Amino acid sequence: MKVVKILKQHPWTVGVGALFSIFMLGSLHTGFAPGEAIGRNFLSFLGQMLRVLPCVFILVGLFDVWIKTETVEKHLGHGSGLLSYVWAVLLAGTTVGGLQVVLPVAHALYVKRANLSVVLAFLSAAGICRVPMTLFEASFLGWRFTCIRFAVSLPLVVLFSAVIGWWFDQRRYRLPDVDETTDKAEAQHR
Amino acid sequence: MLILYIITVLLLGLSLLASPRKTGRALQIALRRFLRIAPAFLCMLMMVAVALYLVPDHVLVQVLARENKWIAMGSALGFGSVSIMPGFIAFPLCGILLDRGALYMVLSAFSTTLMMVGVATFPMERTYLGTRLALCRNVVSFIIATVVAIATGLFFGELQ
């Protein structure tokens, strides 16, 4: 029963997953080369992600338990000023992995009452100035390239994030609650 | 990568020393959040696996090292948006493209959209941000990437 309920909640994954599995099984069965190549891609990505994600989620969990909401609110919340964007960009620079890694962190920040604009700036900045990525970029394309990219994109990211955040805030937009059921239980527990 | 492990183990150890109970709760939260996002995540991986097969390296080189810089830049923006790949694959690829005669502005368009705009990661982003905000963020990121690419072209004198 529970399985059916979970499956119903994720129509996209079920659909794509079913198509993908049928395609994979078919390819393996008939020795269809493109299918096998895609399968190898999938497994190698899955492996890469499974190596990074447990760490990320453990860190998010620790963050959740140890960092007080007030601390985040003070530095990254409403009315914390321009400095909060500097924090967001610096924090973004220290992250690893792609969007899939940064999203849970961004959401955790939001739940701890960081300003939506700051959360957005953090998300987008993580795409620009992650330290390991920057080292790669500069070594293949030169420091001049990297400097130009930073100088142009970071101010734009901060500006646009501020505008979008403000706009959505005005409309009382709330991020979806990623773990609503359990949070309620926990709130009662406290 | 190794640094991530060291930091995680270190912090986990410290947390365990400070309060085993809180640490247990942290791990519970970690597991719960991971399971919550796992479906969208699998969906993304499958899409990426197919996308990367459909757009292999040599096709990229053919399109991005083109004569007409605007077409090259446009395709770079498109390619970068729909594909995702880790930085340690993307930047060496940019290096290859540079050697084959691709312009800096094209590479800028490609690498910036690659990192900031995610069609394949959209299902996941939607789970966290909601459809409207995720859409808005991606569109704006695309605009920013275009501006950055043009600025790069200006600085490298590729727009004369």
Side-chain angles (χ1 to χ4, degrees):
Chain A
M1 240 13 245
K2 209 181 168 194
V3 176
V4 177
K5 202 177 131 206
I6 291 174
L7 288 181
K8 266 190 187 158
Q9 277 170 351
H10 305 282
W12 270 96
T13 310
V14 173
V16 175
L19 276 177
F20 193 79
S21 336
I22 292 169
F23 178 61
M24 275 300 106
L25 285 175
S27 307
L28 279 179
H29 198 65
T30 55
F32 183 53
E36 288 173 346
I38 290 173
R40 269 196 298 279
N41 276 349
F42 176 73
L43 286 181
S44 95
F45 286 138
L46 190 65
Q48 258 174 44
M49 291 303 147
L50 288 182
R51 281 201 291 271
V52 180
L53 286 181
C55 290
V56 173
F57 278 92
I58 288 174
L59 288 176
V60 168
L62 287 174
F63 170 83
D64 224 43
V65 174
W66 287 108
I67 308 293
K68 285 202 193 82
T69 307
E70 298 85 61
T71 316
V72 177
E73 198 173 9
K74 193 173 134 217
H75 292 287
L76 301 174
H78 284 276
S80 51
L82 211 58
L83 198 63
S84 59
Y85 291 100
V86 177
W87 281 121
V89 171
L90 287 179
L91 202 61
T94 60
T95 56
V96 286
L99 205 60
Q100 58 275 18
V101 173
V102 194
L103 275 168
V105 182
H107 198 272
L109 282 173
Y110 179 81
V111 171
K112 297 263 176 193
R113 295 224 206 112
N115 189 354
L116 185 58
S117 298
V118 177
V119 172
L120 286 172
F122 167 76
L123 260 182
S124 297
I128 299 171
C129 57
R130 293 200 299 268
V131 174
M133 196 175 84
T134 305
L135 293 176
F136 257 106
E137 178 185 329
S139 52
F140 280 99
L141 297 172
W143 281 104
R144 214 176 134 206
F145 180 84
T146 304
C147 289
I148 293 168
R149 222 164 64 88
F150 272 34
V152 180
S153 56
L154 283 179
L156 284 176
V157 161
V158 170
L159 184 73
F160 273 108
S161 301
V163 172
I164 299 176
W166 172 81
W167 200 82
F168 275 85
D169 262 350
Q170 285 287 304
R171 275 146 195 80
R172 304 192 178 283
Y173 189 80
R174 308 277 307 153
L175 292 197
D177 207 339
V178 179
D179 31 28
E180 67 268 13
T181 44
T182 25
D183 273 356
K184 264 182 219 146
E186 217 159 78
Q188 279 169 2
H189 192 67
R190 277 172 207 150
Chain B
M1 197 69 137
L2 189 66
I3 297 174
L4 184 66
Y5 279 106
I6 295 171
I7 292 173
T8 310
V9 171
L10 216 67
L11 288 180
L12 200 60
L14 277 177
S15 172
L16 207 58
L17 280 180
S19 159
R21 209 173 58 86
K22 271 190 167 185
T23 310
R25 214 166 77 216
L27 289 177
Q28 257 174 20
I29 292 173
L31 183 69
R32 199 171 72 212
R33 293 206 167 182
F34 180 72
L35 291 179
R36 269 275 168 155
I37 202 59
F41 193 72
L42 277 174
C43 195
M44 179 200 80
L45 283 183
M46 289 182 272
M47 278 155 81
V48 174
V50 175
L52 217 69
Y53 177 79
L54 294 178
V55 190
D57 293 2
H58 61 94
V59 177
L60 272 183
V61 172
Q62 248 172 35
V63 177
L64 298 188
R66 267 192 150 171
E67 283 296 307
N68 186 318
K69 56 191 163 205
W70 295 109
I71 294 180
M73 193 183 101
S75 351
L77 287 170
F79 268 136
S81 302
V82 295
S83 47
I84 61 162
M85 51 177 107
F88 61 86
I89 295 177
F91 288 112
L93 180 64
C94 283
I96 297 171
L97 291 166
L98 189 64
D99 286 339
R100 306 264 178 100
L103 297 174
Y104 278 103
M105 60 185 274
V106 174
L107 298 178
S108 167
F110 179 64
S111 57
T112 312
T113 44
L114 190 63
M115 297 304 168
M116 283 178 66
V117 185
V119 174
T121 41
F122 192 78
M124 221 187 133
E125 199 172 332
R126 212 182 54 165
T127 320
Y128 280 112
L129 299 187
T131 311
R132 271 195 303 156
L133 186 55
L135 200 64
C136 194
R137 198 199 70 81
N138 276 287
V139 170
V140 166
S141 296
F142 188 84
I143 295 169
I144 292 177
T146 313
V147 174
V148 172
I150 292 172
T152 312
L154 280 175
F155 276 110
F156 279 96
E158 293 170 343
L159 280 178
Q160 271 85 38

